Amino acid sequence: MATTGDIRKDTGRTVFGWIKSRFPTVPYADLTRVVVETDQRQLPRSHAEKYELKTIWYWYPLYCLGGISFIAFIVLTITGILLGFFYIPDGRLELGASGDLTNPAWRSMLTIMNDIPFGFIIRGMHHWAAHIMIAAVFLHMCRVYFTGAYKKPRELNWLLGVLLILITIMFGYSGYLLPANAVSEGAANILINMSRASPVIGDQLATLLFGDISTLSGRYILRWYWIDVFILPLVGTALMVLHMGLVWLQGVAEPH
Ligand code: HEM
């Protein structure tokens, strides 16, 4: 009969074996040189390498979708920094000069679009890069799924990908709120109601995310600004570096 010690040893071996078969102990520094011949980098070796194929599949462009997602993220970062120089993250309503209710955030958007040189185009680039990133990440996920690239040894990278697509969606949502106009308020009210519908902590969650839960005073803008420009970029960048680091170590799974 197996003793507790045996079970512990076996579990240890299995966990270690699981990790080792996916991330073998190789001199990783050497991987910066061309070491494909040593058989270390590709896990397993790609189909093209193994059979020395010279084929170019007509759907190779689909393998660029991860890279396109990353380029869109870089464009978003650069244009986002530029927008941040002029954007005022304050959505609290005030009585404007002409007697209408406005807020500093929306007024700063108008300044960016009408007065700042290239402001309109920078905002447009930010807007379209966000759309492209969401589409590219989704299509990249479909490519990975339909080529079976999520299977061993790339399961961990699929899971990182799941977190990345959630972060991408959150990026889109938080950016959508920032102009602080009627559309943003509509979107804010939807998430407030969704949060409030969560069991037990519903109201607390909505208050944490939006400041107010019955009438929007505009305080939510500052919170979502921090989510959009600090929390999500921090977590997202770390996960992207890990995700692409794993692709670098394991190689890209080619179609079989
Ligand atoms: C911000 C989002 C993402 C970025 C920047 C990104 C980036 C990349 C890049 C550059 C590659 C190399 C191969 C290629 O481009 O097709 C890759 C591969 C991979 N990605 Fe992503 N990705 C993202 C999201 C996702 C998502 C949502 C999933 C799945 C849920 C995913 C799962 C994978 C897997 C499993 C691989 C390895 C595929 C293979 O070896 O063929 N990624 N990713």
Side-chain angles (χ1 to χ4, degrees):
M1 211 178 83
T3 63
T4 323
D6 289 340
I7 293 172
R8 205 175 293 140
K9 216 186 289 165
D10 278 354
T11 316
R13 263 197 221 121
T14 323
V15 172
F16 185 68
W18 192 94
I19 295 173
K20 195 164 161 55
S21 62
R22 284 155 181 87
F23 309 103
T25 39
V26 295
Y28 284 113
D30 288 355
L31 296 181
T32 50
R33 285 186 251 125
V34 182
V35 288
V36 177
E37 321 83 81
T38 66
D39 219 3
Q40 289 172 350
R41 182 157 176 183
Q42 195 78 30
L43 301 174
R45 277 167 93 197
S46 75
H47 191 66
E49 275 164 22
K50 195 163 165 192
Y51 299 106
E52 294 180 4
L53 296 178
K54 300 275 179 278
T55 326
I56 295 191
W57 279 277
Y58 65 92
W59 37 294
Y60 264 0
L62 297 182
Y63 283 71
C64 296
L65 286 165
I68 293 174
S69 314
F70 188 62
I71 292 172
F73 178 68
I74 302 281
V75 173
L76 282 163
T77 309
I78 297 169
T79 51
I81 290 173
L82 294 174
L83 290 173
F85 290 160
F86 303 98
Y87 175 76
I88 302 171
D90 182 356
R92 286 171 303 178
L93 290 175
E94 307 169 340
L95 211 53
S98 50
D100 51 340
L101 270 181
T102 68
N103 64 70
W106 172 242
R107 282 203 304 275
S108 69
M109 295 305 303
L110 293 178
T111 310
I112 288 172
M113 288 192 295
N114 301 326
D115 303 331
I116 307 291
F118 303 107
F120 202 103
I121 197 163
I122 297 287
R123 185 181 177 205
M125 284 169 73
H126 198 73
H127 175 97
W128 285 106
H131 282 69
I132 289 170
M133 181 167 175
I134 291 177
V137 170
F138 177 73
L139 293 172
H140 168 61
M141 187 178 75
C142 295
R143 189 291 279 171
V144 169
Y145 179 76
F146 286 114
T147 54
Y150 56 85
K151 293 180 193 165
K152 187 185 171 188
R154 298 181 177 80
E155 309 94 322
L156 277 183
N157 230 8
W158 173 266
L159 293 179
L160 283 179
V162 172
L163 293 179
L164 279 171
I165 200 166
L166 292 177
I167 291 206
T168 309
I169 293 169
M170 288 284 287
F171 257 128
Y173 178 76
S174 54
Y176 198 73
L177 295 186
L178 296 186
N181 53 17
V183 180
S184 318
E185 274 186 19
N189 279 321
I190 291 173
L191 192 60
I192 289 177
N193 289 333
M194 284 170 71
S195 312
R196 291 186 77 183
S198 320
V200 191
I201 53 156
D203 279 0
Q204 285 88 336
L205 184 65
T207 313
L208 177 71
L209 290 176
F210 291 91
D212 340 80
I213 52 176
S214 36
T215 8
L216 274 182
S217 68
R219 280 193 294 169
Y220 70 100
I221 293 294
L222 185 56
R223 297 186 188 195
W224 284 92
Y225 178 70
W226 273 96
I227 294 175
D228 193 65
V229 304
F230 184 71
I231 300 173
L232 292 175
L234 196 76
V235 182
T237 307
L239 289 179
M240 278 180 227
V241 168
L242 257 177
H243 185 71
M244 289 185 288
L246 284 189
V247 174
W248 178 71
L249 283 180
Q250 299 184 321
V252 172
E254 282 180 79
H256 288 75

